[in-house]
């Protein structure tokens, strides 16, 4: 720790404002994790412990530590961000900051509060429950919040993650803490507030990169400012005024390497830095153009992203916070989740508006991985105040976040909120006085829009998700002609999977179907006696009202009921994958009418039944293995038509491909009967019909199966069932497996079947990744896959694997 830069990360003392429950908290960190580590509270995630820790959020908490300053001359300031949320910071009992926004960075002057030698810094974090209630009382009219999502009330009054108050997938414990920087620094003579870039791409390929450094000084000064870009270092001797001064420099890039989304080209990145005496800011910059096409057409208007002059079909999922409490997350765990997105052929994630603006390193990861980011502002599923103090707070939040993040090439779009337009219809107050609440919404939404345009004129703005268009307050949950759509009729309205083919979205930014989290995860929070879908523990780990009934009811619709709890969990994951596959296959076949599918949701914040394709902890659920196939850039899907099934080929690559496909009828004893072999060409960035089969020629007890290979080497297979799976009189599958340890610490599994085995899934209590999973085997067929443990196993230890398939799932032998 230098004499001019005092970093306060590390151990602090924690206690309630009454001095109770004293323990150590590590900052960055959260109160619940500190109390659990000190054995003051049980693990909130286990059993029904969520109910036992509700008192924590009702208390005010005090964080304290001492520090020493030997030389006090000059100006000193506190540097703090991700402070959650309503808090007062004292230095030597002098208040230096009153904060109420988890999404802002605060840098107040603290010179007058410091003393030579030992100092005490104390942070009082007030209960969000009390603060929310107090602010609701001060509103000129009641501002409703979604009680279905938030059992802890009035979270919409506070600028903190809305999912902290619960959600239909999240634990409701209203965590609090300090998750970012906390330091005291000397202003000598200036600091860097922002480093921003602007790109101008010329027709001849040249790029002008304008770099803007905003400096802050307490009094006029002259100092050297260095700009460095890919080895070119420039020194500018600049005069700065008291307050903020903007210094700019333009770099000319003659032959730029462009940044592309994953699967479309290189993720070329350049090193950029700006430094002044005592401070250096480093960024990675990607050079690219991006546009959102919303041209009117015969169906309404388009919604398509064009990157570097090429339209990109967006394949991906929605991102929620990596964990319900901060201290359980880490950059390594987050990188694993994002890598899993790319490994499943995704090229976009949507950072959903009920969580966090993620830290810089998160977007650095997206830059490197080629994941475009649809960035929501942090407003979700509630109505919000429009008072002057609230809007002023939001304006500062927007300005800071946009300036902080705008240079990331991964950020594709800035979206005003999640589902606030729909929320206007959810509450009695807003239904009875729509004008009042619509005006309030418009004030907030316009403020955010204007903040984006001031801070980053090049940014792409979209008012809300879903939205049919600019200032269009229509029903984008059911209207599919324009804008982005949230299609929830299959889950929330209990429609059949076929209903996904009743709409033709231009871009579906939310749709989903639930499953249970995997059995090894359930075993981490539930005891053997709890392994029942109606047990209180399992019900507590299901946050969507009616969710368990919906999962079970869907099984009755499509499947024979599973024989035990483990198979119930397995089958819930299979039907989840089938639901999302039905939607993605059809909507991709509509390309370019539809140009994006982002399912809900990629990850979980804790162990819970949800719409995620990744388990809490990062292991792949069945759907994620299926997503890797249905998101493959070149794919073939079966789309039912009147009296027929059409095979749609889709090509998201920039080169034309030739596809060779063989189609069979598959008997229930696992025998293949050849039907046809076809060859077709699919142009770059196209979808087309490859072939069609008359289903009247297929016996009711046969499946249609196919294999294909594309000229670029991509391969795939699948099956189509004209009826329901419960109608099949399946025969014993005869699944067996052999395991061989490999020298690199992985394990090779050879899985064999003597009969038809549908949806073969391998599972182990040992965390890890399978090279393939959730596949079909026919009679006499074997498949070898590789299992790589997440952490190396002791010598000689072999994981225990369990095999599932549809026959075994529903048959008691």
């Amino acid at each position: 720790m230098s004499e001019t830069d005092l970093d306060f990360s590390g151990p602090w003392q924690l206690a309630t404002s009454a001095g109770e429950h004293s323990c150590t908290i590590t900052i960055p960190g959260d109160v619940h994790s500190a109390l659990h580590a000190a054995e003051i509270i049980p693990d909130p995630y286990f059993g029904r412990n969520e109910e036992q820790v509700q008192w924590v959020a009702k208390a005010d908490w005090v964080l304290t530590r001492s520090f020493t300053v030997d030389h006090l001359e000059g100006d000193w300031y506190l540097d703090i961000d991700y402070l959650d949320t309503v808090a007062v910071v004292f230095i030597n009992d002098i208040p230096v900051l009153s904060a109420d926004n988890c999404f802002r960075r605060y840098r107040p002057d603290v010179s007058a509060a410091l003393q030579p030698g030992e100092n005490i810094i104390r942070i009082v974090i007030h209960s969000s429950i009390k603060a929310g209630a107090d602010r609701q009382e001060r509103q000129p009219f009641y501002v409703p919040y979604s009680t279905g999502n938030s059992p802890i009330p009035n979270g919409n009054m506070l600028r903190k993650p809305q999912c902290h108050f619960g959600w239909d997938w999240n634990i409701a414990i209203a965590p609090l803490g300090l998750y970012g920087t906390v330091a005291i620094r000397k202003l000598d003579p200036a600091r860097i507030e922002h480093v921003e870039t602007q790109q101008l791409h010329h027709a001849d390929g040249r790029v002008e990169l304008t770099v803007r450094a905003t400096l802050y000084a307490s009094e006029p000064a002259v100092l050297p400012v260095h700009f460095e870009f890919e080895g070119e270092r420039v020194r500018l001797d600049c005069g700065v005024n008291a307050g903020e001064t903007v210094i700019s420099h333009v770099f000319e890039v003659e032959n730029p390497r462009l940044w592309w989304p994953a699967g479309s080209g290189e993720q070329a990145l350049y090193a950029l830095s700006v430094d002044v005496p005592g401070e250096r800011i480093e960024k990675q910059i990607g050079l690219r153009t991006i546009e959102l096409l919303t041209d009117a057409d015969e169906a309404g208007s388009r919604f398509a992203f064009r990157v570097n002059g090429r339209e990109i079909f967006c394949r991906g999922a929605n991102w929620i916070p990596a964990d319900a409490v901060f201290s359980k997350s880490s950059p390594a765990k987050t990188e694993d989740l994002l890598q899993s997105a790319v490994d499943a052929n995704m090229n976009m994630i949507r950072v959903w508006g009920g969580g966090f603006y993620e830290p810089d390193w998160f977007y650095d990861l997206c830059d490197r991985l080629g994941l475009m980011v649809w960035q929501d502002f942090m407003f979700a599923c509630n109505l919000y105040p429009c008072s002057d103090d609230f809007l002023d707070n939001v304006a500062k939040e927007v300005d800071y976040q946009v300036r902080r993040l705008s240079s990331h090439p991964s950020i594709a779009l800035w979206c005003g909120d999640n589902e606030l337009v729909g929320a206007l219809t959810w509450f009695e107050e807003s239904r009875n006085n729509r004008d009042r609440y619509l005006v309030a919404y418009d004030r907030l939404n316009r403020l955010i829009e204007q903040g984006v345009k001031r801070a980053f004129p090049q940014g792409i703005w979209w008012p809300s998700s879903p939205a049919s268009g600019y200032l269009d307050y229509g029903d984008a949950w059911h209207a599919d002609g324009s804008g982005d759509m949230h299609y929830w009729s299959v889950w929330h309205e209990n429609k059949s999977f076929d209903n996904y083919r009743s709409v033709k979205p231009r871009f579906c930014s939310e749709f989903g179907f639930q499953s249970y989290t995997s059995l090894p995860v359930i075993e981490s929070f539930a005891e053997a006696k709890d392994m029942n879908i109606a047990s209180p523990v399992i019900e507590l780990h299901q946050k969507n009202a009616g969710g368990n009934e919906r999962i079970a009811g869907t099984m009755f619709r499509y499947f024979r009921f599973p024989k035990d709890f483990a198979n119930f969990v397995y089958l819930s994951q299979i039907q989840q994958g089938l639901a999302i596959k039905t939607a993605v296959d059809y909507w991709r076949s509509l390309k370019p009418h539809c140009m994006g599918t982002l399912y809900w949701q990629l990850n979980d914040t804790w162990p819970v039944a949800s719409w995620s394709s990744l388990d809490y902890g990062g292991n792949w659920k069945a759907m994620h293995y299926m997503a890797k196939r249905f998101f493959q850039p070149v794919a073939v899907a079966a789309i039912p038509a009147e009296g027929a099934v059409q095979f749609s080929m889709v090509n998201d690559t920039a080169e034309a491909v030739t596809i060779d496909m063989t189609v069979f009828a598959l008997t229930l004893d696992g025998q293949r009967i050849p039907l046809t072999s076809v060859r077709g060409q699919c142009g770059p960035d196209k979808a087309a019909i490859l072939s069609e089969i008359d289903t009247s020629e297929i016996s009711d007890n046969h499946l249609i199966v196919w294999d294909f290979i594309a000229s670029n080497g991509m391969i795939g297979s699948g099956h189509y069932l004209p009826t329901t799976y419960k109608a099949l009189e399946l025969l014993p599958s005869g699944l067996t497996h052999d395991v061989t340890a490999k020298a690199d610490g992985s394990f090779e599994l050879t899985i064999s079947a003597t009969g038809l085995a549908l949806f073969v899934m391998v599972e182990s209590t040992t965390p890890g990744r399978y090279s393939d999973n959730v596949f079909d085997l026919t009679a006499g067929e074997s498949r070898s896959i590789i299992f790589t443990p997440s952490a190396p196993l002791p010598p000689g230890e072999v994981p225990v694997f369990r095999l599932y398939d549809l026959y075994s799932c529903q048959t008691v032998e």
Side-chain angles (χ1 to χ4, degrees):
M1 190 180 296
S2 73
E3 291 187 358
T4 61
D5 193 347
L6 309 177
D7 183 352
F8 297 152
S9 60
W12 292 54
Q13 289 303 302
L14 173 70
T16 68
S17 56
E20 300 174 324
H21 305 298
S22 179
C23 64
T24 299
I25 183 172
T26 300
I27 297 298
D30 67 273
V31 170
H32 285 82
S33 295
L35 296 176
H36 178 221
E39 300 183 346
I40 296 171
I41 63 171
D43 179 1
Y45 293 1
F46 187 83
R48 298 173 63 186
N49 289 343
E50 175 185 358
E51 300 168 341
Q52 307 305 315
V53 302
Q54 292 300 307
W55 64 270
V56 176
K58 297 175 182 178
D60 296 340
W61 293 90
V62 182
L63 289 71
T64 309
R65 67 163 289 166
S66 63
F67 63 97
T68 301
V69 181
D70 293 326
H71 305 286
L72 283 180
E73 63 276 1
D75 298 308
W76 295 79
Y77 64 94
L78 174 67
D79 192 356
I80 193 168
D81 62 4
Y82 289 103
L83 175 56
D84 187 12
T85 286
V86 179
V88 180
V89 182
F90 299 85
I91 295 180
N92 301 321
D93 292 327
I94 299 172
V96 296
L97 172 66
S98 180
D100 64 348
N101 192 324
C102 186
F103 308 131
R104 285 174 56 187
R105 176 177 61 183
Y106 295 96
R107 288 180 157 186
D109 184 277
V110 298
S111 304
L114 295 174
Q115 61 189 26
E118 186 176 50
N119 294 257
I120 302 294
I121 181 170
R122 176 165 53 95
I123 304 175
V124 179
I125 304 179
H126 294 287
S127 164
S128 295
I129 298 174
K130 296 175 185 176
D134 177 65
R135 294 182 182 212
Q136 183 72 266
E137 283 292 318
R138 299 205 306 264
Q139 295 303 312
F141 52 86
Y142 180 70
V143 185
Y145 63 94
S146 176
T147 55
N149 281 329
S150 302
I152 298 176
N154 300 314
N156 57 335
M157 296 292 104
L158 303 177
R159 298 308 301 137
K160 71 174 271 146
Q162 298 296 272
C163 65
H164 279 181
F165 300 91
W167 222 259
D168 54 5
W169 38 261
N170 199 32
I171 190 171
I173 55 175
L176 62 163
L178 203 172
Y179 317 137
T181 300
V182 55
I184 288 179
R185 309 187 197 280
K186 188 175 183 180
L187 192 63
D188 187 20
R191 67 176 183 241
I192 302 173
E193 290 286 273
H194 308 287
V195 173
E196 304 159 84
T197 63
Q198 183 173 342
Q199 302 176 24
L200 179 59
H201 291 248
H202 293 276
D204 62 2
R206 286 182 304 115
V207 176
E208 290 180 22
L209 180 69
T210 301
V211 183
R212 289 163 40 94
T214 302
L215 309 182
Y216 177 86
S218 58
E219 57 187 36
V222 177
L223 72 161
V225 181
H226 290 94
F227 294 84
E228 186 170 354
F229 181 74
E230 284 298 288
E232 180 183 351
R233 185 170 172 85
V234 177
R235 171 174 172 153
L236 302 177
D237 292 311
C238 303
V240 297
N241 301 314
E244 291 189 353
T245 302
V246 178
I247 310 295
S248 298
H249 181 72
V250 178
F251 291 97
E252 296 276 353
V253 187
E254 293 294 334
N255 297 295
R257 294 176 294 115
L258 297 181
W259 182 93
W260 287 92
S264 296
E266 180 189 5
Q267 286 75 60
L269 294 169
Y270 292 85
L272 169 70
S273 66
V274 177
D275 60 77
V276 298
E279 185 175 18
R280 177 181 176 89
I281 301 295
E282 297 179 339
K283 289 180 175 285
Q284 57 182 19
I285 302 298
L287 303 178
R288 57 99 177 103
T289 63
I290 188 162
E291 306 159 82
L292 177 62
L293 308 179
T294 56
D295 315 77
D297 61 14
E298 64 282 356
S301 60
R302 303 197 66 209
F303 194 99
F305 289 94
R306 184 158 61 196
V307 179
N308 301 327
R310 180 183 158 207
E311 291 188 27
I312 303 293
F313 190 98
C314 298
R315 308 179 303 266
N318 285 257
W319 171 268
I320 60 175
D323 208 291
V325 293
F326 172 83
S327 298
K328 289 178 178 286
S329 66
S330 71
K333 291 177 181 178
T334 297
E335 181 172 6
D336 181 66
L337 297 172
L338 294 175
Q339 183 66 56
S340 288
V342 174
D343 290 346
N345 291 309
M346 297 185 193
N347 59 16
M348 176 178 271
I349 58 167
R350 173 176 173 241
V351 176
W352 169 75
F356 285 99
Y357 306 94
E358 296 289 348
D360 292 281
W361 55 259
F362 175 95
Y363 300 93
D364 286 341
L365 283 170
C366 293
D367 295 341
R368 295 205 305 270
L369 292 170
L371 281 170
M372 294 180 286
V373 174
W374 172 308
Q375 178 66 53
D376 280 0
F377 287 90
M378 294 299 118
F379 302 88
C381 297
N382 296 314
L383 304 184
Y384 289 89
C386 64
S387 56
D388 289 344
D389 59 338
F390 187 86
L391 294 180
D392 179 67
N393 199 359
V394 171
K396 292 182 173 66
E397 166 190 326
V398 170
D399 185 76
Y400 166 61
Q401 294 294 346
V402 174
R403 294 184 189 280
R404 177 175 74 94
L405 299 176
S406 60
S407 294
H408 288 279
S410 54
I411 293 188
L413 176 142
W414 300 87
C415 178
D417 60 70
N418 174 79
E419 297 190 351
L420 264 58
V421 173
L424 290 166
T425 69
W426 297 349
F427 309 105
E428 182 179 357
E429 295 86 354
S430 53
R431 289 194 298 267
N432 292 339
N433 194 344
R434 182 174 172 85
D435 289 351
R436 164 187 279 178
Y437 291 95
L438 180 59
V439 169
Y441 169 76
D442 187 63
R443 287 180 178 177
L444 173 64
N445 192 253
R446 287 297 184 95
L447 176 114
I448 299 170
E449 177 186 7
Q450 292 164 3
V452 173
K453 291 181 176 178
R454 276 194 302 269
F456 186 46
Q458 284 187 306
I460 296 173
W461 163 257
W462 189 246
S464 181
S465 185
S468 295
Y470 187 69
L471 295 182
D472 188 330
Y473 297 104
D475 181 5
W477 281 261
H478 298 91
D480 60 356
S482 303
D484 76 307
M485 188 179 196
H486 289 190
Y487 194 64
W488 280 104
S489 293
V490 172
W491 175 258
H492 288 302
E493 298 175 27
N494 199 26
K495 299 290 183 66
S496 70
F497 295 172
D498 291 337
N499 191 258
Y500 282 124
R501 293 189 284 263
S502 71
V503 293
K504 298 180 178 181
R506 313 313 300 264
F507 191 109
C508 201
S509 49
E510 269 195 35
F511 61 103
F513 200 90
Q514 268 203 1
S515 75
Y516 288 100
T517 189
S518 299
L519 187 62
V521 178
I522 294 174
E523 290 171 341
S524 74
F525 68 78
E527 300 175 26
K529 64 181 177 63
D530 302 316
M531 300 298 174
N532 185 296
I533 61 171
S535 76
V537 168
I538 298 300
E539 288 189 336
L540 188 68
H541 288 249
Q542 163 62 273
K543 295 301 185 179
N544 183 240
N548 289 347
E549 295 94 325
R550 186 69 40 77
I551 293 172
T554 302
M555 285 185 189
F556 278 123
R557 178 181 284 164
Y558 294 111
F559 299 97
R560 301 184 187 190
F561 216 62
K563 63 186 180 184
D564 57 23
F565 180 77
N567 280 285
F568 191 93
V569 171
Y570 154 77
L571 194 54
S572 79
Q573 293 197 8
I574 298 303
Q575 72 178 14
Q576 177 194 33
L578 288 174
I580 303 308
K581 181 180 186 298
T582 301
V584 172
D585 283 351
Y586 179 61
W587 295 340
R588 287 188 76 188
S589 78
L590 302 177
K591 182 180 176 175
H593 175 92
C594 177
M595 285 300 291
T597 62
L598 309 179
Y599 64 72
W600 187 269
Q601 67 213 56
L602 179 68
N603 56 305
D604 272 334
T605 57
W606 73 306
V608 66
S610 83
W611 299 266
S612 71
S613 62
L614 296 175
D615 275 323
Y616 177 69
N619 280 344
W620 291 24
K621 292 163 75 171
M623 187 172 84
H624 209 79
Y625 288 100
M626 297 166 77
K628 182 178 180 180
R629 292 191 283 272
F630 63 62
F631 274 153
Q632 185 172 263
V634 176
V636 174
I639 310 295
E642 190 67 34
V645 57
Q646 295 179 336
F647 291 94
S648 169
M649 53 182 175
V650 62
N651 177 17
D652 287 348
T653 75
E655 305 294 332
V657 294
T658 300
I659 294 177
D660 289 291
M661 181 180 70
T662 305
V663 184
F664 303 87
L666 182 64
T667 67
L668 295 187
D669 60 2
Q671 303 302 314
R672 292 184 177 220
I673 303 170
L675 292 179
T676 186
S677 294
V678 294
R679 168 175 288 188
Q681 187 171 77
C682 195
D685 292 313
K686 300 289 184 185
I689 299 301
L690 174 60
S691 181
E692 183 173 297
I693 297 289
D694 185 345
T695 52
S696 66
E697 300 176 1
I698 306 299
S699 171
D700 288 343
N701 62 348
H702 287 180
L703 293 79
I704 299 172
V705 300
W706 67 94
D707 303 292
F708 77 88
I709 183 168
S711 54
N712 65 358
M714 293 185 187
I715 61 173
S717 62
H719 76 249
Y720 173 76
L721 183 63
T723 180
T724 59
Y725 290 98
K726 67 182 180 181
L728 298 177
E729 296 293 346
L730 293 173
L731 300 172
S733 52
L735 277 182
T736 59
H737 71 284
D738 295 315
V739 181
T740 302
K742 298 174 68 67
D744 61 1
S746 65
F747 298 86
E748 182 176 8
L749 284 79
T750 301
I751 302 165
S752 304
T754 58
L756 176 61
L758 298 176
F759 305 118
V760 177
M761 189 178 89
V762 189
E763 181 178 85
S764 176
T765 56
T766 302
R769 180 85 57 84
Y770 300 88
S771 60
D772 194 12
N773 211 341
V774 193
F775 48 80
D776 299 335
L777 293 176
T778 55
E781 187 178 2
S782 296
R783 182 172 302 194
S784 292
I785 62 174
I786 302 298
F787 174 73
T788 304
S790 299
L793 300 183
E797 183 174 320
V798 178
V800 175
F801 297 100
R802 175 171 180 169
L803 267 58
Y804 299 85
D805 77 299
L806 190 56
Y807 169 81
S808 304
C809 165
Q810 61 192 22
T811 304
V812 177
E813 296 176 322

